[in-house]
């Protein structure tokens, strides 16, 4: 409900809402869900949903969602995060006034113990360097040109982890234009524990798949670091992850 309230409070009003659910997780009457949970202020907006077959993975869900959405701009949002009132307006202005393919913003990074403002890369050179070890763009802050994303194959529907990293690297390799809104427009709940072992396997796999992006040197350094990190014992990975979040 908090997420839907934040959507209803947006200062920019021309938008559609598109939900992607797994049938097992959300086995309900969608019209009843809208009636009980969606604020009156946005019930007049177009609200759609897809109920996917179970256990197809996040990559498949995002690929399918991008296929079904027909708007020029797609704005990512996780239902557990919070949105600033001017998020959609700031994104609209960014696309209107610049020749860009993907917008990302800073975020409030929330953990059980703290809430800090991110410091994501402010230019392309910084962004390329940031991708050496990590996913340098926080996915709930992103909006993108749908045609551009579809032109590089959209999300890889076979990926259950690191589907965002894979797409960002492919967009970077295609010379897509990235743009930062240097303000925190989203409150993102940072995972409390170290990433799962499978996540690091897919991280390595995605980097091998996109070797040469953002450039060959950074790509090879990233593959080496992530490959070495993947082989570390779980308790060591957790300590490094906890330190890196400070």
């Amino acid at each position: 409900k908090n997420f839907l309230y934040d959507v209803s409070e947006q200062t920019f009003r021309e938008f559609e809402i598109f939900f992607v659910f797994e049938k097992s997780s959300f086995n309900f009457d969608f019209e009843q869900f809208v009636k009980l949970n969606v604020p009156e202020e946005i019930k007049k907006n177009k609200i759609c949903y897809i109920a996917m077959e179970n256990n197809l993975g996040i990559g498949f869900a995002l690929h399918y969602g991008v296929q079904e959405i027909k708007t020029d701009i797609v704005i990512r949002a996780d239902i557990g995060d919070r949105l600033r009132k001017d998020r959609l307006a700031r994104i609209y202005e960014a696309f209107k006034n610049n020749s860009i393919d993907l917008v990302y913003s800073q975020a409030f990074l929330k953990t059980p113990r703290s809430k800090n403002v991110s410091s994501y890369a402010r230019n392309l050179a910084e962004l390329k360097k940031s991708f050496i070890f990590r996913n340098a763009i926080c996915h709930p802050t992103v909006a993108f040109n749908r045609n551009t994303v579809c032109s590089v194959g959209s999300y890889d529907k076979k990926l259950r982890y690191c589907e965002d990293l894979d797409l960002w690297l492919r967009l970077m390799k295609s010379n897509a234009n990235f743009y930062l809104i240097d303000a925190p427009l989203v409150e993102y709940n940072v995972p409390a524990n170290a990433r799962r072992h499978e996540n690091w396997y897919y991280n390595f796999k995605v980097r091998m798949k996109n070797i040469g992006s953002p450039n060959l040197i950074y790509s090879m350094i990233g593959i080496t670091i992530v490959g070495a990190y993947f082989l570390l014992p779980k308790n060591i990975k957790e300590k490094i992850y906890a330190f890196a979040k400070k």
Side-chain angles (χ1 to χ4, degrees):
K1 285 191 175 183
N2 286 336
F3 170 79
L4 290 169
Y5 172 78
D6 290 348
V7 173
S8 73
E9 290 288 293
Q10 293 296 305
T11 56
F12 183 82
R13 309 301 296 180
E14 296 178 31
F15 59 85
E16 300 176 6
I17 305 172
F18 202 96
F19 293 96
V20 181
F21 297 137
E22 274 198 347
K23 288 180 179 177
S24 61
S25 302
F26 297 90
N27 186 19
F28 58 74
D29 183 326
F30 187 74
E31 290 185 6
Q32 187 70 4
F33 167 79
V34 170
K35 182 179 179 181
L36 296 176
N37 295 281
V38 175
E40 290 295 329
E41 294 86 346
I42 55 173
K43 283 184 177 176
K44 63 179 181 235
N45 292 70
K46 185 177 179 180
I47 303 175
C48 307
Y49 84 107
I50 291 175
M52 294 195 325
E53 295 300 325
N54 303 329
N55 301 316
L56 294 175
I58 184 67
F60 187 94
L62 290 167
H63 182 94
Y64 193 25
V66 171
Q67 274 191 320
E68 293 298 314
I69 293 169
K70 303 306 178 188
T71 56
D72 294 334
I73 305 302
V74 176
I75 301 174
R76 285 285 305 274
D78 284 352
I79 206 163
D81 298 329
R82 303 299 304 269
L83 314 178
R84 216 169 79 170
K85 289 183 179 181
D86 61 343
R87 186 190 178 207
L88 300 190
R90 295 287 295 271
I91 289 171
Y92 174 76
E93 288 300 318
F95 277 102
K96 180 181 176 183
N97 298 323
N98 301 276
S99 178
I100 52 181
D101 299 297
L102 183 145
V103 169
Y104 63 105
S105 76
Q106 305 293 1
F108 290 109
L109 304 177
K110 185 179 179 182
T111 72
R113 297 181 181 178
S114 65
K115 185 167 79 170
N116 302 303
V117 177
S118 65
S119 56
Y120 299 129
R122 290 173 168 80
N123 57 57
L124 185 59
E126 285 183 20
L127 188 61
K128 288 181 176 181
K129 191 177 290 185
S130 298
F131 272 107
I132 290 176
F133 179 66
R134 63 192 181 101
N135 184 349
I137 298 175
C138 185
H139 67 271
T141 73
V142 164
F144 51 76
N145 182 296
R146 180 180 175 276
N147 287 337
T148 301
V149 164
C150 288
S151 74
V152 299
S154 190
Y155 288 92
D156 186 337
K157 56 188 176 183
K158 296 179 182 178
L159 292 176
R160 292 180 174 270
Y161 298 91
C162 299
E163 69 291 334
D164 296 307
L165 174 62
D166 174 64
L167 180 57
W168 311 157
L169 290 175
R170 280 188 284 119
L171 285 169
M172 196 163 284
K173 196 171 185 177
S174 74
N175 295 315
N177 294 315
F178 290 69
Y179 182 88
L180 170 71
I181 298 174
D182 199 8
L185 303 183
V186 174
E187 183 178 289
Y188 174 58
N189 291 299
V190 179
N193 301 313
R195 300 290 185 181
R196 294 177 62 174
H197 186 71
E198 294 90 343
N199 186 287
W200 289 106
Y201 166 76
Y202 275 90
N203 192 308
F204 182 78
K205 181 179 179 179
V206 161
R207 290 175 185 277
M208 289 295 294
K209 172 187 172 187
N210 293 287
I211 193 166
S213 182
N215 65 45
L216 186 58
I217 294 174
Y218 289 166
S219 177
M220 294 307 297
I221 294 172
I223 288 168
T224 302
I225 293 173
V226 171
Y229 186 84
F230 173 70
L231 297 173
L232 290 173
K234 181 181 177 182
N235 64 321
I236 301 297
K237 282 205 283 269
E238 288 177 350
K239 289 178 181 178
I240 293 173
Y241 183 80
F243 176 80
K245 289 198 303 178
K246 291 181 180 180

